[in-house]
Amino acid sequence: MTFTLSGRKIFVAGHGGMVGSALVRRLKREQCEIVTAPRSLDLREQADTRNWFEANRPEAVLLAAARVGGIMANSLRPAEFLYDNLAISANVIEAARQHGTIKLLFLGSSCIYPKFAPQPIAENALLTGALEPTNEAYAVAKIAGLKLVETYRRQYACDFISAMPANLYGPGDNYEPEGSHVIPGLIRRMHEAKLSGASEVAIWGSGTPRREFLHVDDLADACILLLREYSAEEHVNVGSGKDISIADLAGKIASTVGFNGQIVCDTSKPDGTPQKLMDSSRLEAMGWSPSITLEDGLPNAYADYLRVAT
């Protein structure tokens, strides 16, 4: 049954982040009431989260709140990535159940899949092999959130669903040196190298791992479709359907930024998963497809960085 958004009170958890802000932008095209929580609300705190839900009683929840970061941040602070994401997922999902939320969409991550999963990765690859060690803590927390959604559907008949996006980028990204993902991190470093006249920029690992990237506005479109039309236990992949090597990605970012120096590979740093391309055919069968190519999305991301940096 279609979930009608018109007139609904919809809570975007994590509205200040890249994904949450994209969801807010997308929801403004709908005839709904967008609800956000103040930054003072710590979703890791169970009592505070429950009190907020009791006071506001959203009819739908888009759960985009999370502690996120790149390979360095995950490696340096695994306990924070595990605990914080477990707490956020558990508190929001349980509070939503307790206070009558009709529909909830939990957002996971493609890192939930095994390191050596067959490519492209279908939804049923979950828990069929070992995870990538560099982001295992974050992945375990996201798997737990996904399983909460599944079991809440089973035990409580809640219309809660999950989506697993590919690597995301776009406006509102994190450009901090120790917390960023690969695209925002390279944008910042190449911009700074261009300004300083540096002759080279190093990328982590061999440059051969392949990654799939999705513009955050495409994810937001997919989330609205799923919120309306999808109601089943199994999570749904959301990807662009194309991957690219890190070395080739670095070349595209250099061209976008205008950095003309050399790109070198620091093989003393880890590669991570060799390839991560998801099978998004289930979502595509529902009528969705991405509309923003990497060639169009990178200039958009760079413009956002320049806005933040200046």
Side-chain angles (χ1 to χ4, degrees):
M1 181 181 295
T2 298
F3 178 77
T4 303
L5 273 61
S6 181
R8 300 286 195 182
K9 194 175 187 179
I10 302 178
F11 172 39
V12 180
H15 73 282
M18 176 177 66
V19 175
S21 59
L23 290 168
V24 169
R25 287 195 301 273
R26 178 61 184 81
L27 283 171
K28 286 180 178 177
R29 291 156 49 188
E30 305 296 326
Q31 300 300 313
C32 64
E33 178 186 353
I34 303 169
V35 181
T36 59
R39 294 185 68 87
S40 58
L41 175 62
D42 188 345
L43 295 174
R44 296 171 300 179
E45 297 295 329
Q46 185 181 70
D48 293 348
T49 304
R50 290 184 179 181
N51 289 340
W52 186 91
F53 266 81
E54 183 175 10
N56 292 275
R57 297 189 178 271
E59 295 168 273
V61 174
L62 291 164
L63 181 41
R67 177 175 290 281
V68 298
I71 191 170
M72 180 183 293
N74 274 270
S75 299
L76 293 175
R77 306 196 309 277
E80 291 177 37
F81 277 81
L82 180 55
Y83 176 82
D84 289 355
N85 286 299
L86 281 173
I88 291 167
S89 300
N91 290 340
V92 172
I93 291 169
E94 173 62 6
R97 180 192 72 84
Q98 288 185 340
H99 297 290
T101 295
I102 302 168
K103 192 81 179 260
L104 179 145
L105 171 59
F106 171 76
L107 285 167
S109 165
S110 59
C111 72
I112 66 168
Y113 291 117
K115 179 174 182 175
F116 298 110
Q119 306 290 317
I121 309 171
E123 286 88 351
N124 61 10
L126 183 68
L127 297 178
T128 59
L131 299 167
E132 159 58 38
T134 56
N135 56 18
E136 183 182 59
Y138 179 71
V140 167
K142 286 298 184 180
I143 292 169
L146 182 155
K147 290 299 179 182
L148 273 175
V149 166
E150 287 185 9
T151 54
Y152 272 53
R153 287 188 69 91
R154 209 174 299 159
Q155 183 171 341
Y156 302 122
C158 295
D159 192 4
F160 294 177
I161 60 174
S162 296
M164 299 298 125
N167 294 292
L168 299 168
Y169 73 100
D173 216 333
N174 175 14
Y175 301 99
E176 292 303 314
E178 291 189 359
S180 61
H181 288 97
V182 60
I183 287 181
L186 284 175
I187 285 175
R188 175 180 180 141
R189 289 166 55 211
M190 289 186 178
H191 176 77
E192 292 176 345
K194 179 181 73 170
L195 295 184
S196 68
S199 61
E200 65 180 38
V201 166
I203 60 175
W204 276 35
S206 65
T208 59
R210 302 185 67 83
R211 293 291 181 271
E212 176 183 20
F213 296 96
L214 181 71
H215 194 280
V216 70
D217 287 337
D218 275 334
L219 171 66
D221 269 337
C223 287
I224 299 309
L225 173 65
L226 290 168
L227 197 65
R228 278 199 181 108
E229 304 293 341
Y230 187 70
S231 181
E233 188 172 299
E234 190 173 21
H235 63 279
V236 179
N237 287 342
V238 186
S240 64
K242 298 178 180 179
D243 63 0
I244 184 173
S245 73
I246 297 300
D248 287 345
L249 173 69
K252 286 183 180 293
I253 293 174
S255 177
T256 300
V257 170
F259 171 68
N260 298 315
Q262 186 179 4
I263 299 169
V264 298
C265 297
D266 182 356
T267 55
S268 69
K269 298 295 194 297
D271 268 341
T273 303
Q275 185 182 21
K276 197 159 59 172
L277 174 66
M278 297 197 303
D279 179 355
S280 299
S281 58
R282 293 182 64 219
L283 181 58
E284 290 167 4
M286 296 174 62
W288 177 87
S289 62
S291 61
I292 304 171
T293 65
L294 199 58
E295 288 72 21
D296 291 335
L298 287 177
N300 173 251
Y302 183 42
D304 180 67
Y305 170 74
L306 292 176
R307 178 187 59 81
V308 173
T310 57

